[in-house]
Amino acid sequence: MRTLRIDYLKHKFGYNHKNLLLNLVLTIFLFGLASKFVFFPSLSPEISPDLEHPFAEKTNTDPEPQNPLVFSQQVTENQTTLSEQVPQLAPVLEHVFQNEDQVSPSKKKCDYFSGDWVPNPVGPVYTNESCNLIESPQNCLKNGRPDKEFLYWKWAPRDCDLPPFDPFKFLNEMRNKAWALIGDSISRNHVQSLLCMLSTVEQPVLVYHDEEYKSKSWHFPSYNFNISVIWSPFLVEAAIFEDFNGVSSSEVELYLDKLDSKWKDQFLNFDYIIISCGKWFLKSAIYYENDTILGCHYCNKKNLTELGFNFAYRKALKFVLNFIASSNHKGSIFFRTFTPDHFENGEWFSGGTCNRKAPVTEGEIEMKYLNKMLRDIELEEFRKAAAKASRSGVNLKLVDLAPLSLLRPDGHPGPYREFHPFAEKGKNAKVQNDCLHWCLPGPIDYWNDILMEMVVNG
């Protein structure tokens, strides 16, 4: 009987021991599995879909910031963190590229100026009602332009992505800095666009204007950031005799060997400069050098040699770019190519119009002969100056906006440079069209997308 009891205990003990071991193993396994999801959620595809697509487009769901300064810093930090994470996703983390051919396509330099206009259902980031900085001749919707399709396109480079302009990040990066846009009325057009986009973060304060309000300066107090537009249509010294509508009473007197002091005297005060010219050189003018008349272009003065606008443009542009390339400027200088007009069936003075309602594709329209002459001179003289600037340590870059602007014949005010131009005279009335400047909002806003990538993101 005692033997049977011992055998029974032995069998009972053995059976329970196995159960205990099995329960212990199962408990450890379940505890480890639970710890995995609790402490390492990124390893679970159900919890973190970012593992499959680390660059998934994110929708901004942040509430309206109470303090733009704090929000802008947060945006910058988040984007910097994302960019720092990119190399960690590469298959070989320790690999160092030895030459450009080894760099992945996504890391190669992007050609922002070769692309297409594609539909953009989102539309502009501001409206003519939300921005009070738009000058009347470019406020097309307020002036009665009936169609709005021209607002729903964006510029898309073919070989890379072009992120939309980020006003928070831009202002944060430009803290304590100063910009200047130097040139003709297209520069004034451009500065309005940039200000309208930045005004979605903070309203700029006008701190200076000249007598005719052609040159102005604005200040963003929270960022200690300044933007100026300096009206200098020739970049060299000029005496201009014309009224508000561009009607001249005499030829322009152009001094091809003297820089316009309006920008030259404050050139070193700006961290970033966008400089341009072009169209004004097509005007009738008398050319001077060493205070002596060289000749003219399309002038009625007697005994003056016809030299042509291309002669003057090359000579003036070479002088300007050589000054920049040999200067001691420590910031960034962008030479912007001129933007072509889209007058059809005539010119601005002979009934030309621009009635197109959509962008065109590359090759659909050609640049006018005179515009092409200006562009060829710009590219040739820039290449020469850029080589010199590189040797002297001046940061001179080309912003070639002519090709992408050529594809937007629908983006001009046309007859809506004036307030409701057909209200009194009827729809068939002949009114002067503006097929050179740009509606705001409009295609010119996307110039800022490109500039931001060149300036802020390198």
Side-chain angles (χ1 to χ4, degrees):
M1 189 69 178
R2 188 170 180 269
T3 303
L4 291 175
R5 178 65 177 172
I6 292 174
D7 290 340
Y8 170 77
L9 291 174
K10 284 182 179 179
H11 287 298
K12 187 176 181 181
F13 179 79
Y15 177 78
N16 288 341
H17 179 63
K18 290 179 181 178
N19 280 344
L20 287 172
L21 288 175
L22 182 60
N23 290 336
L24 180 61
V25 171
L26 184 60
T27 300
I28 293 173
F29 174 77
L30 292 175
F31 180 79
L33 186 62
S35 300
K36 172 184 175 181
F37 287 102
V38 173
F39 297 105
F40 303 97
S42 62
L43 297 178
S44 169
E46 295 180 0
I47 296 177
S48 178
D50 286 348
L51 187 62
E52 291 183 16
H53 193 352
F55 301 109
E57 184 175 348
K58 299 182 184 296
T59 303
N60 183 12
T61 57
D62 294 333
E64 186 71 15
Q66 297 298 320
N67 186 341
L69 289 173
V70 175
F71 185 81
S72 64
Q73 293 169 349
Q74 181 182 5
V75 170
T76 303
E77 289 168 2
N78 290 342
Q79 294 186 354
T80 303
T81 302
L82 179 60
S83 65
E84 291 171 352
Q85 291 174 352
V86 173
Q88 298 175 9
L89 298 174
V92 183
L93 298 180
E94 299 300 326
H95 180 67
V96 178
F97 294 112
Q98 298 298 321
N99 56 62
E100 186 177 355
D101 294 335
Q102 291 177 297
V103 181
S104 63
S106 63
K107 292 296 182 182
K108 288 186 177 180
K109 187 175 181 180
C110 175
D111 182 3
Y112 297 115
F113 309 106
S114 176
D116 305 282
W117 290 95
V118 300
N120 177 31
V122 177
V125 299
Y126 68 94
T127 69
N128 66 309
E129 294 180 350
S130 67
C131 181
N132 61 2
L133 299 160
I134 304 173
E135 294 181 7
S136 179
Q138 285 86 54
N139 201 334
C140 302
L141 296 181
K142 183 178 180 179
N143 289 341
R145 178 168 176 169
D147 63 301
K148 295 181 175 61
E149 290 82 2
F150 71 97
L151 298 173
Y152 296 96
W153 299 88
K154 68 177 180 179
W155 177 248
R158 294 194 183 100
D159 57 355
C160 58
D161 292 328
L162 180 62
F165 183 83
D166 186 339
F168 290 101
K169 183 174 183 179
F170 184 90
L171 283 170
N172 195 57
E173 293 285 341
M174 293 301 135
R175 192 181 298 277
N176 302 320
K177 295 190 178 350
W179 274 64
L181 286 77
I182 303 170
D184 55 23
S185 56
I186 299 296
S187 293
R188 292 212 313 273
N189 200 172
H190 185 193
V191 81
Q192 295 170 59
S193 168
L194 182 56
L195 289 169
C196 281
M197 298 178 89
L198 295 177
S199 69
T200 61
V201 176
E202 180 174 85
Q203 188 71 17
V205 179
L206 181 66
V207 292
Y208 166 80
H209 64 82
D210 62 3
E211 185 176 351
E212 297 179 321
Y213 283 80
K214 290 184 176 181
S215 294
K216 301 178 185 178
S217 295
W218 294 266
H219 180 63
F220 289 82
S222 299
Y223 299 87
N224 191 29
F225 171 55
N226 293 303
I227 297 181
S228 298
V229 58
I230 302 174
W231 190 73
S232 180
F234 293 100
L235 301 182
V236 294
E237 188 175 313
I240 302 170
F241 310 94
E242 69 173 36
D243 61 18
F244 176 76
N245 291 315
V247 179
S248 299
S249 58
S250 182
E251 295 85 0
V252 175
E253 295 178 357
L254 204 57
Y255 297 83
L256 302 177
D257 59 345
K258 296 180 181 180
L259 296 177
D260 187 351
S261 60
K262 287 197 295 292
W263 69 269
K264 178 190 175 185
D265 292 349
Q266 48 184 327
F267 175 71
L268 296 177
N269 297 338
F270 301 105
D271 301 287
Y272 295 90
I273 294 173
I274 305 174
I275 193 165
S276 60
C277 57
K279 276 292 193 178
W280 279 69
F281 282 84
L282 299 176
K283 292 179 176 288
S284 299
I286 300 173
Y287 304 137
Y288 291 81
E289 192 172 53
N290 295 322
D291 293 322
T292 302
I293 295 178
L294 296 177
C296 70
H297 167 58
Y298 199 67
C299 62
N300 298 320
K301 299 289 184 180
K302 296 179 180 179
N303 301 323
L304 292 181
T305 304
E306 171 64 41
L307 296 175
F309 73 89
N310 52 334
F311 163 83
Y313 193 43
R314 185 179 298 277
K315 199 169 186 64
L317 200 56
K318 183 190 296 287
F319 184 52
V320 170
L321 292 176
N322 279 340
F323 167 79
I324 292 173
S326 58
S327 69
N328 193 34
H329 195 277
K330 301 302 181 184
S332 295
I333 304 169
F334 300 92
F335 176 71
R336 176 181 63 76
T337 55
F338 85 103
T339 55
D341 66 84
H342 291 94
F343 286 100
E344 295 182 284
N345 304 312
E347 295 298 327
W348 71 271
F349 53 84
S350 58
T353 59
C354 43
N355 296 323
R356 299 189 186 229
K357 305 301 181 185
V360 297
T361 57
E362 188 173 335
E364 190 173 340
I365 59 175
E366 293 186 1
M367 190 175 293
K368 297 176 183 178
Y369 177 71
L370 294 182
N371 291 339
K372 190 177 185 304
M373 288 180 66
L374 290 173
R375 174 173 165 75
D376 289 344
I377 292 172
E378 288 178 337
L379 297 180
E380 290 170 11
E381 294 305 321
F382 176 82
R383 290 190 194 102
K384 298 174 188 175
K388 184 175 181 179
S390 180
R391 292 191 296 269
S392 59
V394 174
N395 188 15
L396 177 62
K397 297 179 181 180
L398 181 69
V399 183
D400 189 14
L401 298 174
L404 66 91
S405 301
L406 180 64
L407 305 181
R408 291 304 306 270
D410 60 320
H412 302 290
Y416 298 100
R417 63 189 290 268
E418 297 180 1
F419 185 74
H420 292 273
F422 302 108
E424 295 182 2
K425 301 179 181 179
K427 293 182 178 180
N428 297 323
K430 291 184 178 181
V431 299
Q432 185 174 326
N433 279 242
D434 181 354
C435 305
L436 174 63
H437 300 92
W438 303 94
C439 291
L440 294 174
I444 199 171
D445 294 326
Y446 293 93
W447 296 7
N448 300 322
D449 291 15
I450 295 174
L451 280 169
M452 177 152 185
E453 285 302 293
M454 296 180 70
V455 172
V456 177
N457 299 324

